[in-house]
Amino acid sequence: MALRMEHSSDGLTVWLSGEIDHHSARRMREEIDAAVERLKPSRLRLDFGGISFMDSSGVGLIMGRFRLMQLYGGTLEVAGASERIRKVLRLAGLDRLGVLKDAPGEDEPAGL
């Protein structure tokens, strides 16, 4: 499990890689929360492009960051997730929060 963070005027982007399970989610949560509390970005973008496995701890990781960003008046985006991970997130109802971005075809013009 590894994290890479980049802060810009557009917000804070966190690239996650490896597996998200009970043990790794705790460390990810602590590092992300510390950065959010220090920087108070208007947008937090979690890039799941490097995630090879995720259990329910990944859903909890996203939900907790969603609540944290609400406390600071910001937004959360989840991007780059594989179709398999997006399916898990949709089953958990995260698509109703409007946080899932970069789904295949989402950015394509209608009719293509």
Side-chain angles (χ1 to χ4, degrees):
M1 183 280 310
L3 295 178
R4 183 171 63 88
M5 297 187 199
E6 181 179 300
H7 182 247
S8 68
S9 60
D10 192 33
L12 176 64
T13 300
V14 181
W15 288 270
L16 306 117
S17 62
E19 299 183 352
I20 302 177
D21 59 20
H22 173 71
H23 299 290
S24 63
R26 180 179 179 191
R27 193 173 124 225
M28 288 179 176
R29 183 175 60 246
E30 290 170 354
E31 289 185 38
I32 295 168
D33 288 359
V36 167
E37 290 169 9
R38 184 178 70 252
L39 300 168
K40 296 183 179 44
S42 60
R43 180 183 60 91
L44 172 62
R45 182 179 180 97
L46 301 178
D47 190 306
F48 273 64
I51 296 298
S52 57
F53 169 82
M54 181 186 86
D55 64 13
S56 61
S57 300
V59 173
L61 176 78
I62 294 169
M63 287 300 302
R65 288 350 86 216
F66 178 78
R67 284 193 223 83
L68 180 63
M69 290 306 293
Q70 282 186 317
L71 286 174
Y72 289 115
T75 60
L76 173 70
E77 294 180 3
V78 176
S82 68
E83 182 56 39
R84 183 172 34 101
I85 297 221
R86 273 195 305 277
K87 182 176 181 180
V88 170
L89 298 176
R90 283 191 304 267
L91 287 170
L94 295 181
D95 56 328
R96 291 180 293 223
L97 298 177
V99 300
L100 300 180
K101 306 296 178 191
D102 294 339
E106 185 174 291
D107 297 326
E108 294 176 5
L112 292 182

